[in-house]
């Protein structure tokens, strides 16, 4: 179930500290699904398809508290081929507020890959530590 469309409704990054402390900084990424519903039609190059709309929030927190970020929006996932699967996904959400594990993994991976570049650019402009570690070259001593 690949994600075929996404829409960002809120991007908020707030710097809470004047200076960045030295030492280790822990960054937590928290993707959350806020709502799940039968989506409308999505236009694709091969035609229109119906899908499941997943409303999400993606939070980034730092320890110590130097900044926080929240990105909200929705993604559309094409409906599974069997109608029973759609009903199962939607019923699980309506009754227990749980998400099908395959759908959750797909949405989480999509959000991480799509939102990471945006968060990197904003972090650079605001002089914040990146939310994911970057590879660093080191000299070898022999």
């Amino acid at each position: 179930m690949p994600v075929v469309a996404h829409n960002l409704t809120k991007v908020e990054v707030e710097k809470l500290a004047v200076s960045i402390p030295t030492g280790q900084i822990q960054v937590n990424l928290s993707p959350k699904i806020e709502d799940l519903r039968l989506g409308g039609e999505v236009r694709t190059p091969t035609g229109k398809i119906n899908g499941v709309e997943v409303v999400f929030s993606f939070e980034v927190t730092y320890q110590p508290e130097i900044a926080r970020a929240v990105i909200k929006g929705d993604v559309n996932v094409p409906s599974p081929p069997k109608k029973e699967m759609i009903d199962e996904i939607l019923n699980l959400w309506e009754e227990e507020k749980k998400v099908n594990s395959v759908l959750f993994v797909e949405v989480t991976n999509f959000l991480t890959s799509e939102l990471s570049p945006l968060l990197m650019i904003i972090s650079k402009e605001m002089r914040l530590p990146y939310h994911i570690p970057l590879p660093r070259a080191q000299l070898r001593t022999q």
Side-chain angles (χ1 to χ4, degrees), residues 3-17:
V3 173
V4 293
H6 71 282
N7 178 41
L8 299 181
T9 58
K10 178 181 183 177
V11 177
E12 179 181 89
V13 180
E14 181 179 16
K15 192 173 186 178
L16 303 172

Side-chain angles (χ1 to χ4, degrees), residues 81-97:
K82 297 180 182 174
K83 185 177 180 342
E84 296 83 32
M85 289 179 70
I86 299 170
D87 294 338
E88 181 182 313
I89 290 170
L90 295 174
N91 287 339
L92 182 63
W93 176 258
E94 289 297 322
E95 294 169 3
E96 302 177 37
K97 295 296 181 198

Side-chain angles (χ1 to χ4, degrees), residues 79-119:
S79 298
K82 297 180 182 174
K83 185 177 180 342
E84 296 83 32
M85 289 179 70
I86 299 170
D87 294 338
E88 181 182 313
I89 290 170
L90 295 174
N91 287 339
L92 182 63
W93 176 258
E94 289 297 322
E95 294 169 3
E96 302 177 37
K97 295 296 181 198
K98 291 185 179 177
V99 181
N100 175 295
S101 58
V102 173
L103 178 63
F104 183 76
V105 167
E106 190 72 37
V107 170
T108 300
N109 288 339
F110 177 82
L111 292 177
T112 302
S113 66
E114 284 293 315
L115 299 181
S116 286
L118 175 64
L119 288 168

